């Protein structure tokens, strides 16, 4: 292991420490994920300092002999019932300082924290055919899920095609839209629909499950707002008042040109009516009308989620990269 690297746990992350973190992440992503937008310093600071939903974060900064930042690691420790066994690591090393043991030093620190936190499953993500993939495999992580990342260019979506999708309402359903926190009158119905995400394909990941209620969906919206992002939701509501499906889009702080798809789900008893395509088409139309500065949307799907991939391809999404989710099974304490 590199004797030059020194790992420091971060407690209350300062602006300077967030800037150091951003320096490493920007260099790492530019090398491993060319063309993927890097979070700006404000986004990094918010991610490191604002509470997350159903989890807490442990962070470490690796510096070289001259004190310059060379690597970072964050461990998300899940705390919700049904996920207390789980942790997720994000690790970056500046490409100029790789193959010197910094990544191994950081991961060893993370694994020690997992032992302290009594975790049995550690998840990590790495771009396909990247140095992170090879690093994960060397450390004994097993590939558990492959994600297909897709991009939708909003300026390339034919208006007539979009109108046909968005305006074709399945019989017995209406659209509801909101920004940020769900309206009180829809909170319980939205929470019930959120539980439909528990059957999404997760490959061989030991991901557990999460129970949603009105308080949790409100807490989720607050977490997103507190870090400066904007959450848009478009939902299909059945005539009986139940929420049949929904789709969410995240606009990162600063309203950059790329939006991020969050959840899309259709409640099992309402599947087979084209609701997924309908709500996503309505969301694209909403983005074009309300947020003209957004020019593209990124989403990801498990490669065996055939139905949602078909919906996204129908909307005009096109594949552009792949990510592997890895899992390390940790010894019981």
């Amino acid at each position: 292991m590199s004797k030059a690297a020194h790992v420091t746990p971060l407690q209350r992350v300062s602006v300077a420490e967030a800037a150091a973190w951003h320096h490493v992440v920007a260099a790492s992503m530019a090398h491993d994920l060319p063309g993927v937008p890097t979070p700006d310093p404000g986004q990094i600071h918010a991610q490191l300092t604002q509470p997350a939903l159903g989890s807490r974060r442990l962070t470490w900064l690796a510096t070289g002999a001259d004190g310059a930042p060379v690597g970072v690691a964050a461990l998300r420790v899940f705390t919700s019932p049904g996920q207390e066994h789980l942790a997720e690591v994000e690790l970056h090393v500046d490409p100029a300082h790789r193959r010197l043991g910094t990544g191994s030093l950081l991961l060893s620190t993370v694994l020690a924290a997992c032992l302290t936190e009594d975790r049995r499953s550690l998840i990590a993500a790495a771009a396909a055919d990247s140095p992170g993939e090879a690093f994960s495999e060397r450390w004994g992580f097993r590939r558990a899920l492959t994600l297909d990342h897709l991009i939708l260019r909003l300026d390339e979506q034919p208006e007539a095609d979009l109108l046909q999708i968005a305006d074709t309402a399945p019989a017995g359903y209406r659209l509801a839209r909101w920004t940020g926190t769900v309206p009180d009158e829809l909170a319980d119905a939205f929470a019930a629909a959120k539980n439909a995400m528990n059957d999404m394909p997760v490959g061989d990941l030991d991901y557990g499950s999460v129970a949603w209620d009105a308080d949790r969906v409100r807490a989720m919206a607050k977490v997103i707002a507190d870090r400066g992002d904007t959450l848009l939701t478009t939902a299909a509501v059945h005539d009986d008042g139940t929420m049949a499906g929904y789709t969410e889009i995240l606009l990162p702080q600063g309203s950059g040109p790329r939006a991020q798809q969050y959840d899309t789900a259709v409640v099992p008893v309402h599947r087979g009516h084209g609701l997924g395509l309908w709500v996503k088409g309505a969301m694209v139309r909403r983005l074009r009308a309300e947020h003209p500065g957004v020019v593209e949307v990124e989403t990801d799907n498990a490669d065996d989620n055939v139905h949602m991939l078909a919906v996204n391809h129908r909307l005009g999404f096109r594949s552009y990269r792949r990510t592997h989710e890895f899992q390390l099974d940790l010894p019981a304490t």
Side-chain angles (χ1 to χ4, degrees):
M1 293 184 182
S2 171
K3 296 181 179 179
H6 176 71
V7 174
T8 303
L10 303 182
Q11 304 299 331
R12 297 179 180 274
V13 178
S14 67
V15 173
E17 288 168 338
W21 192 286
H22 177 265
H23 170 83
V24 173
V25 171
S28 173
M29 290 184 63
H31 182 273
D32 297 343
L33 296 170
V36 177
T38 303
D40 64 34
Q43 289 173 295
I44 291 287
H45 186 261
Q47 290 168 5
L48 294 174
T49 57
Q50 295 296 328
L53 181 65
S55 64
R56 50 191 173 81
R57 187 184 294 105
L58 306 175
T59 53
W60 297 269
L61 175 66
T63 51
D66 59 357
V70 297
V72 296
L75 181 68
R76 184 181 179 191
V77 180
F78 289 79
T79 57
S80 296
Q83 292 189 311
E84 293 116 323
H85 64 287
L86 186 66
E88 184 174 24
V89 61
E90 178 184 1
L91 192 155
H92 295 274
V93 176
D94 186 321
H97 297 273
R98 291 179 180 174
R99 307 191 71 80
L100 298 172
T102 301
S104 294
L105 184 59
L106 283 165
L107 186 56
S108 294
T109 304
V110 166
L111 293 177
C114 287
L115 186 65
T116 300
E117 296 288 341
D118 195 22
R119 303 288 126 169
R120 74 165 186 260
S121 300
L122 178 63
I123 294 173
D129 303 317
S130 71
E133 180 182 49
F135 177 79
S136 299
E137 291 173 343
R138 283 200 305 274
W139 273 85
F141 285 79
R142 59 179 174 82
R143 190 183 300 180
L145 179 69
T146 297
L147 296 174
D148 192 11
H149 294 255
L150 306 97
I151 289 287
L152 175 67
R153 293 282 310 184
L154 297 179
D155 55 354
E156 296 175 0
Q157 178 72 7
E159 185 70 24
D161 196 27
L162 179 61
L163 287 173
Q164 181 184 15
I165 293 171
D167 289 343
T168 306
Y173 299 91
R174 61 178 176 83
L175 286 176
R177 304 177 181 86
W178 64 89
T179 299
T181 305
V182 60
D184 286 345
E185 66 272 15
L186 293 174
D188 288 331
F190 184 42
K194 270 279 185 183
N195 285 304
M197 287 298 293
N198 282 326
D199 71 353
M200 69 177 179
V202 293
D204 294 325
L205 290 175
D206 182 16
Y207 199 73
S209 61
V210 174
W212 289 87
D213 58 19
D215 287 341
R216 185 178 177 88
V217 296
R218 292 187 184 103
M220 178 196 70
K222 185 178 187 305
V223 164
I224 291 170
D226 285 350
R227 70 179 187 227
D229 299 337
T230 300
L231 184 65
L232 308 178
T233 307
T234 297
V237 180
H238 191 261
D239 287 345
D240 65 7
T242 61
M243 192 169 293
Y246 66 91
T247 190
E248 299 168 320
I249 288 285
L250 183 85
L251 305 180
Q253 61 167 290
S255 299
R258 181 177 293 186
Q260 186 69 45
Q261 178 76 59
Y262 260 32
D263 290 350
T264 299
V266 176
V267 175
V269 296
H270 293 280
R271 291 173 184 168
H273 302 290
L275 294 177
L277 180 63
W278 182 47
V279 295
K280 290 187 69 122
M283 178 64 87
V284 171
R285 189 176 182 184
R286 178 182 176 186
L287 279 173
R288 292 176 65 166
E290 299 177 9
H291 301 276
V294 175
V295 299
E296 57 189 15
V297 178
E298 179 175 359
T299 190
D300 60 70
N301 296 119
D303 63 354
D304 60 350
N305 192 349
V306 177
H307 175 71
M308 191 53 67
L309 282 168
V311 167
N312 285 328
H313 288 146
R314 173 69 180 85
L315 280 168
F317 282 88
R318 295 293 177 262
S319 300
Y320 86 111
R321 67 184 180 95
R322 289 163 72 80
T323 294
H324 297 310
E325 296 269 351
F326 291 89
Q327 181 171 311
L328 183 64
D329 301 317
L330 301 169
T333 56

